[in-house]
Amino acid sequence: DGIRYQPRSRGLGDVYKRQRHNMIQKVLPYLKKYSQETDSIPMIFGGDMNSLSHLDWTKKTKKLHNDLIVPWGATKILDDLGLIDSYRKENPNPLTHPGITWDKKGRKDSHRIDYIFYKGKSIKSTKSKSYNAFFNEPITINGKEIIYPSDHGIVVTTFKLK
């Protein structure tokens, strides 16, 4: 069935998890307010959340994650508000499309920690792609090569407005 993550009392993982939880709590009042207005005004919320996704740590993916199933709080809170993870909606299988946006060169430590969420009756994602990139190295996006200015990759989502 998989092991459900149970935080230890004072481990490093708990500090990390608490920090991510505290960060999302700071914007949560605004997210709650604006997510209630999406019948008339579509909402897009995205960026570097430095948090893994609860949609990527499930029963189906537990073999990738030391048999763990983890309900990562930051993305779960957004999901509970009705916000849609555009990358996971357009690429529903985390095994074939992990959506890596952060990796450490020289060791296997890749994660999806950058997101674009949306909500609204008049907005729909039509495609979404993730780009893993390394700081100060070339990356090609839309046929143009640039020297990448960040240690995080990006997610690019195309939306259709009704």
Side-chain angles (χ1 to χ4, degrees), residues 20 52-53:
R20 299 301 162 250
L52 304 173
S53 173

Side-chain angles (χ1 to χ4, degrees), residues 14-57:
D14 294 326
V15 172
Y16 176 82
K17 197 171 180 183
R18 236 183 352 266
Q19 287 173 338
R20 299 301 162 250
H21 180 76
N22 290 343
M23 285 181 191
I24 199 76
Q25 293 302 317
K26 289 180 181 181
V27 296
L28 193 55
Y30 304 101
L31 293 173
K32 283 181 178 178
K33 177 185 177 194
Y34 295 121
S35 70
Q36 293 173 358
E37 299 172 7
T38 57
D39 283 353
S40 59
I41 303 169
M43 174 183 174
I44 298 174
F45 175 76
D48 164 13
M49 293 185 60
N50 279 329
S51 176
L52 304 173
S53 173
H54 71 288
L55 298 174
D56 299 344
W57 288 64

Side-chain angles (χ1 to χ4, degrees), residues 96-115:
T96 60
H97 293 83
I100 304 303
T101 59
W102 187 86
D103 199 356
K104 197 80 163 163
K105 267 197 161 181
R107 71 178 217 223
K108 190 169 172 65
D109 189 28
S110 36
H111 304 286
R112 182 169 82 100
I113 60 176
D114 302 273
Y115 305 90

Side-chain angles (χ1 to χ4, degrees), residues 3 5 10 28 31 37 41 50 55 64 71-72 81 109 111 117 121 123 125 134 144 155 160 162:
I3 301 166
Y5 174 77
R10 287 187 204 144
L28 193 55
L31 293 173
E37 299 172 7
I41 303 169
N50 279 329
L55 298 174
L64 298 175
W72 296 101
L81 287 174
D109 189 28
H111 304 286
F117 290 89
K121 287 186 174 183
I123 188 170
S125 62
F134 296 101
K144 293 185 178 185
V155 177
K160 181 178 182 179
K162 298 177 193 174

Side-chain angles (χ1 to χ4, degrees), residues 8 118 136 153:
R8 296 179 308 265
Y118 70 98
N136 227 14

Side-chain angles (χ1 to χ4, degrees), residues 58-78:
T58 64
K59 276 186 179 181
K60 290 180 182 178
T61 63
K62 68 182 183 176
K63 295 291 181 214
L64 298 175
H65 308 297
N66 297 317
D67 222 34
L68 293 174
I69 299 167
V70 183
W72 296 101
T75 58
K76 181 74 173 101
I77 287 170
L78 298 174

